[in-house]
Amino acid sequence: MMTPFRRRNVLPGFLPSLGLTLVYLTLLVLIPLGALILKTTEMTWGQFWETVTTARALATYKLSLGAAFGAALTNAVFGLIVAWVLVRYSFPGKRVVDGLVDLPFAMPTAVAGIALTSIYASSGWVGQHLEPLGVKVAFTPLGILVALTFIGLPFVVRTVEPVLQDIEAELEEASASLGAGRWQTFRRVILPMILPALLTGFTLAFARAIGEYGSVVFISGNQPMRTEITTLLIMTKLEQYDYTGATAIATVMLTLSLGLLFLINLLHGWARRSAAA
Amino acid sequence: MDVTQTLDRAPAAPALVAAEAPLAKWALVGLALLFLGFFLFLPLVAIFAQAFESGPSAYWAAVADADSRSAFGLTLVAALVAVPINVIFGIAAAWAVARFDFPGKGFLVSLIDLPFAVSPVIAGLVFVLLFGMQGYFGPWLAERDIQIVFAVPGILLATLFVTVPFVARELIPLMQEQGSEEEQAAISLGAGGWQTFFRITIPNIRWGLLYGVVLLNARAIGEFGAVSVVSGHIRGETNTAPLHVEILYNEYNFAAAFAVASVLAIFALVTIAAKAGIELKTGMHGRTR
């Protein structure tokens, strides 16, 4: 797309639109986030470090990051399968299934939380069958993983689908005609092509899962040191009016989220470039 | 047989020589459906099953209860406030970013994306830090007897914050893709700025706008974490529908909790249908947010 000469002079409204945007973002986003940073600086570095490295806090990081990673990985594997099935095959009810994939985007997290808890509790539809096998889901880290998998489900599916759709059949046919088996073709032709999108979807699901609260807080049981996630720790400190403590943990989370946002933008760029190639 | 036919793109079914064995196909379909069944279908069914567990009259009683109604009302108000404001912002931001070049544009776009990357709990926390009793503006507000946190204004602010990016993120790529030629032509033919905007820009972006509004609306209604932090959970006053679900559930009033949840779930299904409808209409698919 060519940039026309002196576009800015022809179209009106540059200063008003930019001005409105900047004012709104400053008032609603920059100042509140600035308050967070400001509050953090009220602590000394030593106090900050002590607050964010308590055994309890460290346990929450391990749990949040670990469960988010596991959920994103599950979504990467099964999301790829779902995307493949939706793009390549037809079956009765496919339209409905395709639409349902967006459910975790549209559903309030609290609603998802209580639904998942009721299913996986010991008396629940699935829980009652798993319990005799010794598998407890509700009120364990496994339950957290289940909830985070729900939350991240659409990300991989929706990022990989367009790339799968754009793969030309000739490439696969060429590979097959050169003697490659189906799995070989998948592994060496198709997978490299969808890898950027797959990684992007994985990172999106991971980033979302780390900050998740509503769908996890019901199924996890929230026991400190065992099933407490970082967002709940922040919430608990707030309820106890420990604003500086909550802010310190929040700053750790925010730094991680910003790092992931940066990484996602890089991955998006990579995915765009490799799709254009 | 025309040689070029074998080289044409095969849309849904790859050519015979490069396809999976039927057994593999059905195994994959089965696996996909099993996964989706457990994670999507089962929870959805569970919501409605549990909602009606005590019978239909208990269901209606829970949904029409005074506290429930006030919770639905507050949720609606939050959406009615968040949608127009963020639509106006989204259009303004898209106009600035997609139609002009200026230094720092990339930074601005990242800034718009920021509420997306922030955990909802942190989104609520920042407003408590600003407007809470011990917040930076706390004493100033207390002097004037203004309540923001633990009151409706705080809920509106938190909802506004988390929904900032939705419309902007839809419109920016759309308007960049469409280019400004039509608008430039209009201006050069003597149309005024607003004339151009309402008669050319808006019609061109209307589906992207609608799509963004649908997603924004769903998020505004369903927001839980951020609102939970700022709300104070005062029944009948500062509870949105998702918070009300939480309260009922924590009181072990499961049937009522699921009854209210089912209303939200129905709305989620309507959202998905609207989203799919727009995607069908405009030929886009697989948009991730």
Side-chain angles (χ1 to χ4, degrees), chain A residues 31-218:
Chain A
I31 290 184
L33 287 176
L36 186 74
I37 315 269
L38 198 62
K39 192 80 186 176
T40 313
T41 58
E42 282 178 16
M43 287 179 273
T44 67
W45 180 244
Q47 283 174 313
F48 177 80
W49 193 250
E50 209 185 295
T51 314
V52 303
T53 53
T54 62
R56 185 176 176 188
L58 289 176
T60 67
Y61 304 148
K62 254 200 301 215
L63 185 59
S64 285
L65 288 172
F69 188 84
L73 201 61
T74 310
N75 276 322
V77 170
F78 283 95
L80 177 56
I81 296 178
V82 170
W84 182 272
V85 164
L86 286 176
V87 169
R88 295 276 170 122
Y89 308 149
S90 332
F91 50 88
K94 176 168 130 163
R95 276 271 182 83
V96 173
V97 170
D98 193 10
L100 271 186
V101 168
D102 285 325
L103 192 67
F105 279 156
M107 186 104 104
T109 50
V111 171
I114 62 173
L116 289 169
T117 312
S118 75
I119 295 177
Y120 290 100
S122 341
S123 52
W125 291 352
V126 176
Q128 61 182 335
H129 297 293
L130 291 178
E131 194 106 321
L133 301 171
V135 178
K136 262 206 95 186
V137 178
F139 314 126
T140 67
L142 190 57
I144 298 177
L145 197 136
V146 167
L148 293 180
T149 307
F150 173 89
I151 279 303
L153 203 150
F155 286 103
V156 173
V157 179
R158 293 304 189 217
T159 346
V160 169
E161 262 181 335
V163 182
L164 269 181
Q165 268 172 339
D166 285 342
I167 292 183
E168 292 153 359
E170 295 103 55
L171 291 171
E172 297 176 51
E173 288 168 12
S175 166
S177 69
L178 288 170
R182 192 63 185 142
W183 175 249
Q184 242 183 336
T185 304
F186 176 78
R187 201 167 41 92
R188 302 185 67 178
V189 176
I190 301 176
L191 198 57
M193 288 178 68
I194 59 176
L195 197 63
L198 198 58
L199 277 179
T200 307
F202 173 86
T203 315
L204 284 169
F206 182 68
R208 174 72 199 263
I210 288 182
E212 182 54 31
Y213 175 73
S215 50
V216 180
V217 77
F218 294 97

Side-chain angles (χ1 to χ4, degrees), chain A residues 1 7 12 14 21 24 28 39 42 88-89 98-100 102 105 118 150 158 170 173 182 211 231 257-258, chain B residues 7 12 15 18 20 39-40 50 86 89 93 95 99-100 114 117 119 136 161 176 272 275 285-286 288-289:
Chain A
M1 185 179 75
R7 190 156 70 156
F14 173 62
T21 306
Y24 186 71
L28 194 61
K39 192 80 186 176
E42 282 178 16
R88 295 276 170 122
Y89 308 149
D98 193 10
L100 271 186
D102 285 325
F105 279 156
S118 75
F150 173 89
R158 293 304 189 217
E170 295 103 55
E173 288 168 12
R182 192 63 185 142
T231 47
S257 301
L258 291 179
Chain B
L7 298 176
E20 304 72 78
F39 282 96
L40 288 184
Q50 301 237 6
N86 278 324
F89 162 74
W95 185 258
R99 292 284 176 264
F100 303 100
L114 208 49
S119 166
Y136 290 114
F161 180 94
Q176 278 174 331
I272 296 180
K275 182 176 187 273
H285 188 74
T288 312
R289 283 301 168 248

Side-chain angles (χ1 to χ4, degrees), chain B:
Chain B
M1 183 174 64
D2 191 351
V3 157
T4 59
Q5 275 184 333
T6 55
L7 298 176
D8 279 341
R9 274 172 78 145
L16 220 52
V17 70
E20 304 72 78
L23 186 64
K25 267 192 208 178
W26 286 113
L28 284 175
V29 172
L31 211 56
L33 290 181
L34 205 67
F35 177 70
L36 293 178
F38 263 105
F39 282 96
L40 288 184
F41 195 63
L42 212 56
L44 199 55
V45 171
I47 295 172
F48 290 99
Q50 301 237 6
F52 284 99
E53 212 166 41
S54 309
S57 51
Y59 179 86
W60 289 116
V63 168
D65 166 74
D67 287 335
S68 297
R69 271 182 292 133
S70 126
F72 286 128
L74 186 55
T75 298
L76 207 62
V77 166
L80 285 175
V81 165
V83 168
I85 294 180
N86 278 324
V87 162
I88 295 175
F89 162 74
I91 295 179
W95 185 258
V97 170
R99 292 284 176 264
F100 303 100
D101 283 315
F102 51 91
K105 184 151 70 156
F107 177 72
L108 184 64
V109 174
S110 295
L111 197 59
I112 295 175
D113 266 350
L114 208 49
F116 236 39
V118 168
S119 166
V121 169
I122 298 183
L125 169 65
V126 293
F127 288 106
V128 171
L129 289 181
L130 273 181
F131 301 120
M133 273 295 287
Q134 294 148 8
Y136 290 114
F137 290 107
W140 189 91
L141 291 169
E143 270 174 41
R144 289 156 184 74
D145 215 14
I146 305 177
Q147 269 272 72
I148 294 194
V149 172
F150 303 151
V152 174
I155 292 179
L156 298 180
L157 278 175
T159 309
L160 261 179
F161 180 94
V162 299
T163 50
V164 159
F166 280 85
V167 169
R169 287 190 80 177
E170 286 305 323
L171 290 185
I172 290 178
L174 182 63
M175 286 176 70
Q176 278 174 331
E177 210 181 296
Q178 286 177 345
S180 59
E181 288 85 31
E182 287 186 29
E183 288 137 354
Q184 288 184 63
I187 300 275
S188 67
L189 288 172
W194 287 114
Q195 220 181 359
T196 311
F197 179 72
F198 281 110
R199 299 186 67 177
I200 300 203
T201 314
I202 293 282
N204 274 344
I205 61 174
R206 69 187 191 281
W207 290 112
L209 195 56
L210 189 60
Y211 195 80
V213 167
V214 167
L215 296 178
L216 200 165
N217 196 32
R219 181 68 198 262
I221 287 183
E223 179 50 42
F224 179 70
V227 177
S228 187
V229 172
V230 297
S231 103
H233 301 209
I234 307 173
R235 302 176 83 123
E237 274 182 44
T238 62
N239 265 338
T240 58
L243 290 178
H244 196 53
V245 168
E246 182 194 24
I247 286 192
L248 291 171
Y249 189 82
N250 287 338
E251 289 176 348
Y252 298 99
N253 194 350
F254 293 137
F258 279 101
V260 177
S262 69
V263 175
L264 293 170
I266 291 174
F267 186 76
L269 292 172
V270 168
T271 302
I272 296 180
K275 182 176 187 273
I278 298 174
E279 282 172 353
L280 214 67
K281 178 95 186 167
T282 58
M284 54 178 191
H285 188 74
R287 303 291 298 272
T288 312
R289 283 301 168 248

